[in-house]
Amino acid sequence: MLIAIVDFIVAPENRDAVVARLLQDSEAIRAMEGNLAFSPYVDPVNEKAVRIWHEWRDVEHFRAYTASEIFKQLGLVLRPLMKAPPVSRRMISEVLETIA
């Protein structure tokens, strides 16, 4: 499994619009082949911080997402609102167990 955590900052007055845009596309992203999770979050302490949590079945599916039109369009909308380049941490993970 590939986990990607993307952190970026925006002006506080733009944060709600940024999250709304991410939520607008979240259903389509979650429906992409190999996607296991896509969740945008706001930092409850830092009014400028936004985080996106991704889980993908494997690297190939994540690469297909980053090459997709939806990813490109999100970048066109979100990057101009970012106060600094995003930080994306990408990790390979193995599920040890799922407890319900």
Side-chain angles (χ1 to χ4, degrees), residues 7-94:
D7 291 304
F8 58 95
I9 58 169
V10 298
E13 64 270 15
N14 291 331
R15 189 167 79 163
D16 288 345
V18 165
V19 172
R21 178 54 198 255
L22 289 164
L23 290 173
Q24 174 185 328
D25 291 335
S26 64
E27 188 174 326
I29 295 168
R30 288 183 188 123
M32 293 179 77
E33 185 177 348
N35 182 269
L36 304 172
F38 176 87
S39 302
Y41 296 93
V42 295
D43 187 320
V45 180
N46 181 345
E47 64 184 7
K48 301 178 214 175
V50 178
R51 171 172 282 169
I52 307 167
W53 175 273
H54 291 266
E55 292 179 27
W56 293 85
R57 187 171 299 130
D58 52 39
V59 173
E60 291 75 26
H61 285 100
F62 181 73
R63 286 187 182 145
Y65 161 70
T66 59
S68 72
E69 188 62 29
I70 196 165
F71 181 84
K72 291 175 193 171
Q73 290 303 313
L74 273 173
L76 289 173
V77 172
L78 299 182
R79 282 195 180 267
L81 298 173
M82 294 179 186
K83 295 296 187 184
V87 175
S88 180
R89 293 171 287 145
R90 300 167 182 183
M91 298 156 266
I92 300 297
S93 177
E94 178 182 331

